[in-house]
Amino acid sequence: MKTVTVGERSIGGLPMGVVWGFVATLIFMAGDGLEHAWLSPYLIEKGLTVQQSATLFAVYGGVLAVASYFSGVLTEMWGPRKVMIIGMIAWLVGQVLFIQYGLKPNNYAVMLPTYGLRGLGYPLFCYSFLVWVTYRSPDRILATAVGLFWACWSGGLYVVGSFFPAFMLPKIGYIGLLWSAVIWVFVGGLVGVLVVKDDAMGQAGNGKEKLKSLISGLTICMEQPKVAIGGVVRIINSTGIGSLPIFFPLYLKSKYGFTTEQWLQVWGTMWFANIIFNLIIPYISDKWLGWRKTIMWLGSFGMGVMLLVLLYTPQIFGSSFLALNIVGIIMGIVLCGFVPLSALVASMAPEKKGSAMAIVSFGAGMSYFIAPAIVGAFIGLIGVHGVMWIFAGMYFLGTVLMHFMKVPSEERKTAKNVRLQKQARQGHTGF
């Protein structure tokens, strides 16, 4: 049920509360992303092994995956504001404890639960706000509203979260950056909590019914195997790219002399290109390629190729900062090929779109667990080159899986073509 107040101030049809919520999302995610691209190399330089660092991120990713899956139903049960407050508090408490009692004394046993606690933060804060956006935004501009949410989410996490550290690291250092993240998240969280109300949520069904709906997100994988395939592709989507900050900047630094600041600039430029082309690739997908082929060839196959290009570029061009930036830009563009995946998976279960989207969200969260788990398991055995080939292989696997993700209209068209070819062969034989 949509509840958009008549006469309410708006910008481009979007209520002011939603617009300010986008600002809050960008600020919150900027704070959340300030350490993602450099924390692993920093921990390793402080004495942790690559495997220990990967385990830390795997714990974080596991908590994040669970929070991502439950964020929607909790929002409908309790309202978005309460869930956002829980997410903000979990993030702030986890961050403070992580810095003060885990990172400073280099206490790995404390790092694991405190960084894991922080993993509850952004899914509960941001995804509950996204649910509120779907209620508050008029249907005619809902797609635009959701697109703006993801633009702010990515812009905060990857763009501001990369360029701000690149600029400030020499001035305030690593620990100073982590404390500044507390300010970013507190400000973004406060703005979000002030502008979001619980008056726009649907009231259909009681808590038990909504929990039953949540569980249907698992049963739908058996009812609609294509939804499960879509969930696997969503895991692959973020796993390869999400693994890079764990080990690749350290490899670039030790082998080719790239600084942390240079890596952060490459990482931020890549995501800046990604945000720009996120507005272009969906248009191309809708008009010409189609959802499935865009995901198959541009997203899956393209990312598999570009991971290998990223791996071998320093070997060919040495410590060329320009060459690495160009590769990063192209990688950010081809990553946009996964944008139609949510729409494609939802189309596979038109009567249970909510359950289908729960699988997509869970897949996105699981990638934060699987990526560091693979790094931790294999980096010591097969090195950086072997791990990069594993992730490239996963993207190539995604290309194969997308072959089975034909929408009903494609299947009807394929069946018709097979029928016509069969009739043509029979007619030719009969003649």
Side-chain angles (χ1 to χ4, degrees):
M1 175 182 171
K2 296 284 182 186
T3 58
V4 181
T5 305
V6 177
E8 183 179 14
R9 288 185 61 194
S10 64
I11 296 178
L14 290 172
M16 285 301 298
V18 171
V19 174
W20 277 108
F22 290 149
V23 175
T25 298
L26 190 147
I27 297 172
F28 189 102
M29 291 309 299
D32 185 80
L34 289 187
E35 92 288 347
H36 282 193
W38 58 262
L39 181 59
S40 181
Y42 174 72
L43 292 173
I44 294 168
E45 289 177 355
K46 286 195 65 175
L48 267 64
T49 65
V50 175
Q51 289 81 358
Q52 284 177 316
S53 176
T55 300
L56 178 69
F57 282 92
V59 169
Y60 171 83
V63 175
L64 189 148
V66 174
S68 298
Y69 187 77
F70 280 90
S71 59
V73 70
L74 292 178
T75 300
E76 293 203 347
M77 289 172 62
W78 299 340
R81 174 181 278 183
K82 291 178 183 177
V83 181
M84 291 172 73
I85 291 173
I86 293 171
M88 179 178 69
I89 292 174
W91 195 101
L92 291 171
V93 171
Q95 179 79 346
V96 171
L97 294 178
F98 174 73
I99 298 171
Q100 195 64 32
Y101 300 104
L103 200 59
K104 282 186 175 181
N106 205 28
N107 189 330
Y108 184 67
V110 174
M111 289 183 196
L112 287 171
T114 54
Y115 202 60
L117 175 63
R118 218 197 77 168
L120 292 172
Y122 94 67
L124 295 182
F125 182 88
C126 292
Y127 294 164
S128 59
F129 168 67
L130 179 59
V131 173
W132 189 71
V133 168
T134 65
Y135 279 96
R136 292 289 287 167
S137 304
D139 289 331
R140 69 181 186 279
I141 55 171
L142 179 57
T144 300
V146 174
L148 287 170
F149 166 83
W150 286 114
C152 292
W153 186 91
S154 300
L157 181 63
Y158 295 120
V159 179
V160 179
S162 296
F163 285 119
F164 182 80
F167 178 74
M168 293 300 293
L169 260 179
K171 298 177 174 59
I172 61 176
Y174 293 102
I175 300 297
L177 263 176
L178 291 174
W179 282 120
S180 74
V182 172
I183 299 173
W184 283 87
V185 168
F186 179 76
V187 172
L190 189 62
V191 172
V193 170
L194 289 175
V195 300
V196 170
K197 312 294 181 185
D198 289 344
D199 58 0
M201 301 306 302
Q203 301 299 323
N206 56 33
K208 290 184 179 180
E209 291 172 341
K210 287 169 182 173
L211 284 174
K212 184 179 178 182
S213 175
L214 179 71
I215 296 172
S216 73
L218 300 175
T219 59
I220 195 174
C221 291
M222 294 179 284
E223 299 168 3
Q224 297 285 348
K226 288 183 180 179
V227 171
I229 294 174
V232 172
V233 175
R234 183 64 186 88
I235 292 173
I236 293 171
N237 171 190
S238 297
T239 295
I241 195 71
S243 70
L244 291 178
I246 299 172
F247 68 97
F248 203 66
L250 187 65
Y251 167 74
L252 291 176
K253 184 176 184 178
S254 61
K255 188 103 173 167
Y256 299 101
F258 286 96
T259 66
T260 300
E261 290 80 3
Q262 286 177 314
W263 162 253
L264 288 169
Q265 290 175 42
V266 171
W267 189 247
T269 301
M270 182 192 78
W271 286 105
F272 184 71
N274 177 264
I275 290 173
I276 293 174
F277 279 85
N278 263 339
L279 306 175
I280 300 172
I281 298 301
Y283 178 81
I284 296 174
S285 175
D286 287 339
K287 291 292 183 181
W288 292 293
L289 283 179
W291 294 342
R292 186 176 66 88
K293 290 182 179 178
T294 300
I295 301 164
M296 178 187 290
W297 296 114
L298 186 63
S300 299
F301 185 78
M303 276 300 299
V305 170
M306 288 311 301
L307 269 189
L308 298 179
V309 171
L310 178 67
L311 173 63
Y312 291 108
T313 292
Q315 296 183 29
I316 298 172
F317 296 98
S319 56
S320 172
F321 183 55
L322 176 62
L324 207 63
N325 264 296
I326 292 172
V327 172
I329 289 170
I330 298 173
M331 184 176 288
I333 294 171
V334 300
L335 188 61
C336 296
F338 286 102
V339 169
L341 184 60
S342 295
L344 180 64
V345 173
S347 71
M348 298 298 173
E351 303 302 320
K352 295 184 177 181
K353 289 186 177 182
S355 299
M357 291 310 298
I359 295 301
V360 175
S361 298
F362 184 64
M366 276 301 293
S367 65
Y368 284 88
F369 170 77
I370 293 176
I374 290 175
V375 174
F378 293 102
I379 194 79
L381 297 174
I382 55 180
V384 170
H385 280 66
V387 170
M388 288 289 276
W389 271 97
I390 287 177
F391 289 121
M394 290 179 66
Y395 281 116
F396 294 140
L397 173 63
T399 306
V400 176
L401 291 175
M402 287 310 302
H403 175 75
F404 303 100
M405 290 288 288
K406 293 180 180 179
V407 295
S409 59
E410 278 188 292
E411 290 183 334
R412 288 193 295 268
K413 186 177 179 180
T414 301
K416 182 179 179 181
N417 289 337
V418 170
R419 238 184 0 259
L420 291 174
Q421 290 173 4
K422 184 177 180 180
Q423 291 172 357
R425 285 195 301 267
Q426 290 174 341
H428 178 73
T429 303
F431 177 78

